[in-house]
Amino acid sequence: MFKKILIANRGEIALRIIRTCKEMGIKTVAVYSTADAESLHVKFADEAVCIGPPASSESYLKMSNIIAAAEITNADAIHPGYGFLSENAKFSKICEEHNIKFIGASPEMIEKMGDKASAKATMKKAGVPCVPGSDGILESYEQTEKLAVEMGFPVMLKASAGGGGKGMRAVWKKEKLRDAWDSARHEARAAFANDAMYLEKLIEEPRHIEIQIVGDSRGKACHLSERDCSIQRRHQKLTEETPSPFMTDELRNEMGLAAVRAAEFIKYEGAGTIEFLVDKHRNFYFMEMNTRIQVEHPITEQVIDFDLIREQILVAAGVPISGKNYTPKLHSIECRINAEDPYNDFRPSPGKITTLHAPGGHGVRLDTHVYSGYTIPPNYDSMIAKLITTAQTRDEAISKMKRALDEFVIEGIKTTIPFHRQLMEHPDYLAGNYTTKFMESFKMEAPIED
Ligand code: MV4
């Protein structure tokens, strides 16, 4: 087993990883930028190394500084968390070359799944359902138009290097295809220096349902059921839940089997997520694979009583998994608390937290690195906490969430707490009747003055 793990991340996820390491008797090294000197992950780690100035490109993304920090502290593994270097093939390779275990995917796996057209081709070969469309990369506009007309509109143009919706265009008629082609390619070239595109049939009003999987070094994989992440705004998830209110036992079996087939086909090692689009008829299609731990992993941990970070560490150390698939017996919901003003188009609201009162009680979990007196730097993601409630039923998890949100006091900055409080009363949310289009029509009600 590893003796010392360096956590190449910040914020709540760095703290989350440190907690599991402590429970496993593994020493921890935090790295931090000068903007994060007062962060809890720095205080709770056994050692901490400053790796640069506030800009991510000069600190949390600076591979040479992170490797140097691992070498001077004698860390034998690096956990990258999510974001930053977690799906960077070059970093995974550099760790390998320095004999430091990267607790994540191999460089080859990251490359294969990072290119969306190649990931899709691989999944098709594995027998995982994929959205009908082009066989790989489009060679010309003429070919694209011919194929789109054959398939029938609406279609979706997607950048192969994409993700997060960049370089993606829905096209409803032939007359609009040329402009969409030009602008999507332009956007992809600017964002990824790669304008390779592929084409799919548009899935209208889909749900985003993902399956958590874990694979081990023997090539065995299992699934840990689903998370419904359909409530998103500009490709940022706001809240997630498991089980999905749209799920049936039959669909879970099929999707779980497809996810396990996918993971075993590519001999995936570690924790990963297979993202699917699910249409209104409950047809499901492979969308993307994430080769990292995800922000929303705690809801899965809550319903199956399983520490996913511990599992990642064990698998990275070569320990085989049990191989059992899971069906949740509880219901869990996560609300992402962001330093943003929901009354003002979710505009970022960094600054000093003057008062903080955290909710608690049975079935309430709060993953956060912030505290009273902490200043949120403007340099990073605006997520400051994840509030997770777990209960026997969906209705009880929602009641608990309402209660916990009401207890949660954060003063000095604006947060998304009022948004979540209103969401928990929305008739379509309460009915479990929502798709990825939900936020397009959501309107905040006026705040209650007091
Ligand atoms: C789609 C789609 C509809 N049809 N593909 C969005 C992110 C990207 N990686 C894939 N995405 C989508 N792909 C087809 N063929 C709709 C989306 C989509 C979406 C998916 C999941 C969650 C939120 C979304 C918001 C807008 C569009």
Side-chain angles (χ1 to χ4, degrees):
M1 184 44 60
F2 308 115
K3 290 191 170 58
K4 198 189 267 188
I5 296 178
L6 180 142
I7 297 102
N9 215 301
R10 63 181 300 281
E12 70 83 20
I13 193 64
L15 190 53
R16 163 76 191 83
I17 297 162
I18 290 168
R19 284 174 169 154
T20 289
C21 289
K22 283 193 176 171
E23 289 169 12
M24 295 176 79
I26 300 168
K27 292 267 180 267
T28 53
V29 182
V31 293
Y32 64 100
S33 74
T34 52
D36 279 338
E38 301 304 317
S39 192
L40 281 190
H41 80 281
V42 176
K43 295 178 206 268
F44 286 173
D46 296 301
E47 291 170 80
V49 182
C50 181
I51 51 164
S56 298
S57 58
E58 299 301 313
S59 50
Y60 298 106
L61 290 171
K62 192 96 181 162
M63 302 185 208
S64 52
N65 292 10
I66 293 167
I67 296 290
E71 298 213 302
I72 58 170
T73 56
N74 258 318
D76 46 10
I78 293 182
H79 196 305
Y82 51 69
F84 295 122
L85 297 170
S86 60
E87 289 172 291
N88 187 305
K90 189 174 163 200
F91 186 63
S92 176
K93 178 120 196 98
I94 292 174
C95 288
E96 228 172 61
E97 287 163 359
H98 285 78
N99 261 317
I100 300 166
K101 180 69 190 179
F102 179 73
I103 305 176
S106 67
E108 299 76 28
M109 193 70 70
I110 295 175
E111 232 145 51
K112 185 145 71 174
M113 291 299 130
D115 181 272
K116 308 305 171 200
S118 108
K120 187 177 172 183
T122 305
M123 291 305 160
K124 212 170 151 186
K125 242 190 268 168
V128 177
C130 294
V131 185
S134 61
D135 269 320
I137 303 298
L138 298 160
E139 272 152 33
S140 66
Y141 175 72
E142 290 64 38
Q143 182 212 359
T144 306
E145 188 181 284
K146 186 164 170 278
L147 186 60
V149 170
E150 267 170 35
M151 273 167 39
F153 288 86
V155 296
M156 186 75 117
L157 269 172
K158 290 183 172 182
S160 192
K166 273 225 182 75
M168 190 176 86
R169 295 286 183 285
V171 187
W172 294 80
K173 45 179 179 251
K174 188 177 154 185
E175 295 69 42
K176 299 272 187 190
L177 188 60
R178 180 85 227 192
D179 275 0
W181 167 262
D182 290 336
S183 77
R185 288 188 66 192
H186 188 268
E187 193 174 298
R189 208 175 311 131
F192 318 113
N194 174 354
D195 59 7
M197 306 292 297
Y198 64 105
L199 189 72
E200 286 186 344
K201 190 83 192 148
L202 180 81
I203 307 299
E204 291 178 59
E205 306 198 13
R207 285 171 171 81
H208 170 150
I209 302 179
E210 57 188 31
I211 305 282
Q212 176 72 56
I213 57 102
V214 182
D216 68 19
S217 53
R218 304 169 307 168
K220 176 86 197 141
C222 65
H223 79 81
L224 279 52
S225 85
E226 82 279 7
R227 295 184 286 259
D228 194 318
C229 308
S230 300
I231 301 201
Q232 310 198 355
R233 187 180 169 278
R234 300 189 185 163
H235 301 290
Q236 296 282 39
K237 293 167 188 167
L238 293 166
T239 174
E240 307 89 356
E241 64 178 311
T242 183
S244 165
F246 197 62
M247 193 50 79
T248 62
D249 286 339
E250 192 190 347
L251 182 61
R252 180 179 297 110
N253 270 332
E254 286 178 29
M255 289 178 70
L257 228 85
V260 169
R261 204 182 306 131
E264 292 191 345
F265 185 78
I266 60 174
K267 297 197 166 38
Y268 189 78
E269 247 187 273
T273 303
I274 320 274
E275 297 183 346
F276 294 99
L277 290 170
V278 182
D279 73 14
K280 58 173 179 281
H281 308 295
R282 291 195 172 78
N283 296 308
F284 65 93
Y285 307 95
F286 170 76
M287 182 163 53
E288 283 173 24
M289 176 168 188
N290 300 319
T291 57
R292 59 163 192 276
I293 192 78
Q294 289 193 269
V295 173
E296 60 272 25
H297 78 274
I299 58 172
T300 300
E301 297 187 323
Q302 293 308 114
V303 297
I304 64 178
D305 194 18
F306 202 87
D307 180 336
L308 277 166
I309 303 288
R310 182 170 193 271
E311 209 59 25
Q312 281 189 299
I313 294 170
L314 290 175
V315 166
V319 179
I321 56 166
S322 80
K324 175 171 168 294
N325 294 324
Y326 286 81
T327 303
K329 288 180 187 67
L330 299 173
H331 198 100
S332 189
I333 302 173
E334 169 178 276
C335 289
R336 298 190 185 194
I337 313 301
N338 296 343
E340 294 171 359
D341 182 359
Y343 294 107
N344 205 342
D345 203 31
F346 291 82
R347 193 162 63 184
S349 174
K352 184 169 174 166
I353 296 176
T354 52
T355 307
L356 184 128
H357 180 268
H362 182 237
V364 176
R365 169 173 171 181
L366 185 67
D367 280 20
T368 186
H369 61 293
V370 307
Y371 51 87
S372 213
Y374 176 78
T375 299
I376 297 144
N379 314 78
Y380 313 104
D381 190 274
S382 64
M383 193 181 75
I384 56 166
K386 305 190 300 204
L387 178 58
I388 301 126
T389 62
T390 308
Q392 297 279 334
T393 66
R394 184 170 191 265
D395 286 350
E396 288 171 71
I398 292 172
S399 299
K400 223 178 245 301
M401 185 59 82
K402 285 198 269 191
R403 186 273 286 170
L405 287 164
D406 286 341
E407 277 181 25
F408 208 166
V409 179
I410 302 181
E411 284 172 356
I413 57 158
K414 301 276 201 298
T415 77
T416 50
I417 291 173
F419 160 73
H420 290 296
R421 191 61 186 80
Q422 290 188 16
L423 178 68
M424 293 299 137
E425 308 249 11
H426 192 289
D428 288 339
Y429 183 79
L430 294 178
N433 178 28
Y434 60 79
T435 71
T436 58
K437 300 275 173 197
F438 180 84
M439 288 305 290
E440 288 177 19
S441 56
F442 183 90
K443 291 273 174 297
M444 285 294 286
E445 282 164 32
I448 302 144
E449 304 290 343
D450 57 12

